């Protein structure tokens, strides 16, 4: 078998069908889909029953343990040479697997490798193209730290994931944590956009948790001590994390915490996005005073 697709899901019965059918509609047909139900309490089981006549679809139930454990569970049960991922609120375009297959064939004979594609961003009826533009002056570990890439855009040889799995202790940034650990393997960027990331009311990311994760990523006890990451990249990532926290506080009109977060972001890169920072402070201060 060529591809195993790991699809973790938790209480997404209203979105799951679109994800499953996008796999069934692939033009490349040598695949298995492993759906890992992370302890759903909605109608997920009933939805999956509608597709189990397709023998390529496997169902695994586990007690709720978060997505890293669910993905690892799928990886351990995978039979494909290459492993792909799909979130239950996203979907593939019909050429997703064939694009990966064609690139793999081009590199036939190479050691175990990693591939990733571009994605579309879907906001209701609106769809935008998101492009990852690699900077040739940076190592690929640094590329991923500056522009984290979600698992559904990846295709990874099974041998790589047999030795390195997602860390179940990490809830935010667990993907970047894994990408850094497997950074020594060959990586191929495919500029085609074959995956769709869907944004909806139930999809959110905690900027505060992201900031905490990024700080931990650079702590002395973390794996980054084993790879070379420039101080410039480190400063940029920490600046962006604190800036994102500041944006979150701006949305909540928490003036003091916003200023504190922007101060920390300025500590790492004082002049970067300076006008934007000052504009945020001015707007928030004006609103704070008037109210």
């Amino acid at each position: 078998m060529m591809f195993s697709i790991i699809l973790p899901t938790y209480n997404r019965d209203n979105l799951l069908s679109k994800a499953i059918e996008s796999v069934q509609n692939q033009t490349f047909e040598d695949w298995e889909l492993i759906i890992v139900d992370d302890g759903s309490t909605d109608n997920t089981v009933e939805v999956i029953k509608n597709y189990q006549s397709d023998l390529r679809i496997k169902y695994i139930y586990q007690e709720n343990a978060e997505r890293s454990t669910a993905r690892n569970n799928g990886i351990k049960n995978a039979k494909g040479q290459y492993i792909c991922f799909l979130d239950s609120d996203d979907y593939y375009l019909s050429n997703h697997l064939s694009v990966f297959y064609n690139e793999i064939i081009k590199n036939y004979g190479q050691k175990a490798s990693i591939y990733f594609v571009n994605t579309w961003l879907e906001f209701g009826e609106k769809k935008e193209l998101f492009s990852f533009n690699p900077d040739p002056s940076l190592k690929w570990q640094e590329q991923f730290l500056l522009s984290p890439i979600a698992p559904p855009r990846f295709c990874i040889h099974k041998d790589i994931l047999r030795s390195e799995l997602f860390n179940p202790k990490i809830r935010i940034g667990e993907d970047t944590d894994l990408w850094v650990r497997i950074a020594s393997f060959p990586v191929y960027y495919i500029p085609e956009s074959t995956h769709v990331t869907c944004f909806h009311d139930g999809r959110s990311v905690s900027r505060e948790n992201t900031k905490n994760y990024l700080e931990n990523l650079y702590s002395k006890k973390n794996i980054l001590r084993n790879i070379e990451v420039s101080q410039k990249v480190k400063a940029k990532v920490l600046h962006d994390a604190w800036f994102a926290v500041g944006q979150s506080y701006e949305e909540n009109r928490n003036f003091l915490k916003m200023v504190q977060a922007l101060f920390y972001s300025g500590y790492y890169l004082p002049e970067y996005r300076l006008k934007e920072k000052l504009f945020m402070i001015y707007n928030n201060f004006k609103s704070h005073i008037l109210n």
Side-chain angles (χ1 to χ4, degrees):
M1 183 176 296
M2 191 66 192
F3 296 109
S4 291
I5 301 153
I6 314 301
L7 195 165
T9 188
Y10 176 71
N11 287 350
R12 290 262 177 80
D13 59 357
N14 60 321
L15 300 170
L16 188 56
S17 291
K18 189 168 187 176
I20 295 173
E21 289 170 13
S22 77
V23 177
Q24 289 184 310
N25 292 333
Q26 291 300 298
T27 56
F28 186 90
E29 298 182 341
D30 187 15
W31 53 263
E32 66 173 354
L33 173 62
I34 302 175
I35 304 171
V36 184
D37 182 355
D38 188 31
S40 295
T41 56
D42 60 0
N43 293 318
T44 291
V45 174
E46 285 72 22
V47 171
I48 294 172
K49 283 179 180 177
N50 295 327
Y51 300 96
Q52 288 190 298
S53 60
D54 188 336
L55 299 180
R56 298 170 297 178
I57 297 177
K58 316 300 194 296
Y59 173 69
I60 298 174
Y61 178 86
Q62 67 177 38
E63 295 297 325
N64 183 252
E66 296 293 339
R67 58 192 176 197
S68 288
T69 299
R71 288 185 184 127
N72 291 344
N73 199 350
I75 291 168
K76 291 172 183 176
N77 285 277
K79 297 179 181 178
Q81 291 295 307
Y82 280 84
I83 295 176
C84 300
F85 301 96
L86 180 59
D87 290 344
S88 53
D89 52 350
D90 293 346
Y91 62 94
Y92 291 157
L93 298 185
S94 61
N95 63 337
H96 185 75
L97 295 181
S98 63
V99 165
F100 278 134
Y101 178 75
N102 291 336
E103 194 67 24
I104 290 168
I105 293 301
K106 285 183 189 177
N107 299 295
Y108 184 77
Q110 299 283 343
K111 72 173 186 175
S113 302
I114 301 165
Y115 299 85
F116 71 98
V117 294
N118 272 337
T119 188
W120 290 89
L121 306 180
E122 185 173 281
F123 306 88
E125 298 298 318
K126 183 181 178 182
K127 191 181 292 185
E128 297 176 2
L129 181 62
F130 175 86
S131 292
F132 175 78
N133 299 308
D135 183 342
S137 69
L138 296 177
K139 301 180 181 69
W140 88 266
Q141 300 100 317
E142 296 176 330
Q143 306 266 13
F144 282 79
L145 291 173
L146 291 173
S147 182
I149 298 176
R153 294 170 61 187
F154 276 91
C155 176
I156 304 174
H157 195 280
K158 66 176 182 180
D159 289 347
I160 299 173
L161 293 174
R162 296 301 186 198
S163 58
E164 295 287 351
L165 295 170
F166 291 94
N167 185 343
K169 295 181 180 179
I170 299 177
R171 295 184 60 183
I172 300 293
E174 78 288 343
D175 44 6
T176 303
D177 171 78
L178 176 60
W179 309 155
V180 173
R181 283 187 278 122
I182 61 178
S184 61
F185 291 90
V187 181
Y188 296 93
Y189 166 60
I190 306 172
E192 293 187 60
S193 300
T194 61
H195 167 261
V196 181
T197 302
C198 300
F199 289 84
H200 51 85
D201 291 340
R203 188 173 203 141
S204 63
V205 175
S206 167
R207 287 179 171 140
E208 183 68 25
N209 285 341
T210 302
K211 185 264 302 177
N212 291 339
Y213 161 70
L214 290 168
E215 287 189 317
N216 176 65
L217 191 66
Y218 287 109
S219 70
K220 292 180 180 178
K221 296 180 180 179
N222 195 269
I223 48 165
L224 273 190
R225 69 184 187 274
N226 297 324
I227 65 172
E228 294 182 6
V229 178
S230 69
Q231 288 299 314
K232 180 180 178 181
V233 169
K234 175 179 177 178
K236 175 69 165 55
V237 172
L238 289 175
H239 169 277
D240 287 349
W242 276 111
F243 187 82
V245 174
Q247 288 178 308
S248 179
Y249 287 137
E250 180 197 23
E251 292 168 3
N252 296 318
R253 292 292 184 262
N254 191 327
F255 177 69
L256 292 178
K257 288 191 174 182
M258 182 200 72
V259 171
Q260 181 185 44
L262 293 181
F263 172 81
Y264 285 131
S265 72
Y267 172 80
Y268 291 106
L269 287 176
E271 296 181 7
Y272 183 61
R273 299 173 83 167
L274 182 59
K275 289 183 179 179
E276 200 171 348
K277 293 172 192 172
L278 293 174
F279 185 74
M280 284 171 58
I281 292 174
Y282 171 75
N283 264 357
N284 202 276
F285 179 74
K286 184 172 65 173
S287 174
H288 185 76
I289 294 299
L290 290 177
N291 294 329

